[in-house]
Amino acid sequence: MKIAIYPGSFDPITSGHLNIIRRASKIFDRLIVCVMVNATKQPMFTREERVEMIRSVVSDLPNVEVDASDELLAEYAKRKGGCVILKGLRAGSDFENEFQMALINRKINPKLDTMFLTAESQYMYLSSSTVKELGNYDVDLSDFLPDQIIPVFKQRIAVIRQGG
Ligand code: ADP
């Protein structure tokens, strides 16, 4: 059984992430989307909220499960029996970082391979942080966020604006 782990912050999940998940779900027998907790980042959504948001958009994909972890990714993958880490590769800057992380993960866990799916061209420049920037303006988000995520995201922006 080919298991892949797709790690990320998913704060929030974007259409670019979902595109990678849909494509990968056809390649692997089982795909675990894992919300990784990054202590250096102050997230917009709690890890439980992020897990729920991802679940709401992958419910039609039976071989995709959603989890969260604050473990080291290489350790998490070992515990889950995952042999492949899946990453999405966007334009430019992703490469250096991801290449370095892939090598480090393999050093820690030599059985661990990292595979990359190139971003779809319309999502090449899309990131959660870009969407958070756009959230401050009155922009149509339907090209950037899955339909189910837009109202949740807008509501959170409104709460933040009110100082909550
Ligand atoms: P970000 O906060 O930069 O959007 P995450 O840490 O949540 O990203 O990303 C998780 C994974 O998804 C990473 O492998 C990242 O390269 C990939 N990814 C993020 N956005 C996209 C996109 N628009 N298209 C393809 N892959 C993406």
Side-chain angles (χ1 to χ4, degrees):
M1 176 131 116
K2 294 270 174 286
I3 306 173
I5 294 165
Y6 180 39
S9 320
F10 306 108
D11 187 43
I13 183 165
T14 68
S15 303
H17 294 130
L18 186 56
N19 175 265
I20 296 286
I21 293 170
R22 290 195 175 282
R23 287 157 62 201
S25 72
K26 297 195 189 110
I27 300 171
F28 297 97
D29 298 314
R30 190 171 155 220
L31 178 68
I32 304 171
V33 181
C34 188
V35 174
M36 303 304 290
V37 177
N38 183 340
T40 64
K41 283 189 195 169
Q42 178 62 41
M44 180 178 226
F45 295 95
T46 66
R47 75 182 206 170
E48 290 73 22
E49 286 170 333
R50 285 180 269 163
V51 166
E52 279 314 309
M53 287 159 91
I54 302 170
R55 284 203 179 120
S56 74
V57 298
V58 301
S59 56
D60 62 320
L61 302 171
N63 63 337
V64 176
E65 61 189 83
V66 188
D67 194 10
S69 175
D70 52 12
E71 278 168 89
L72 193 63
L73 179 58
E75 295 294 336
Y76 175 83
K78 196 187 279 179
R79 188 164 64 77
K80 285 285 172 180
C83 50
V84 172
I85 297 293
L86 177 74
K87 292 294 186 94
L89 207 53
R90 287 164 294 188
S93 59
D94 271 348
F95 180 78
E96 282 291 325
N97 258 337
E98 295 293 353
F99 192 62
Q100 185 185 25
M101 273 200 278
L103 291 176
I104 290 173
N105 282 329
R106 202 169 158 76
K107 176 98 183 137
I108 299 169
N109 177 353
K111 289 195 185 135
L112 198 56
D113 268 312
T114 301
M115 291 179 71
F116 297 95
L117 276 181
T118 48
E120 204 75 73
S121 56
Q122 79 251 43
Y123 302 130
M124 202 66 145
Y125 298 98
L126 177 57
S127 68
S128 297
S129 37
T130 308
V131 173
K132 282 184 266 193
E133 274 295 318
L134 292 176
N136 293 316
Y137 305 92
D138 194 19
V139 175
D140 175 12
L141 297 172
S142 57
D143 284 340
F144 310 122
L145 292 176
D147 291 347
Q148 301 94 311
I149 304 300
I150 294 174
V152 187
F153 176 75
K154 284 191 168 164
Q155 199 187 359
R156 180 58 47 93
I157 291 276
V159 169
I160 292 171
R161 273 200 189 144
Q162 284 164 13

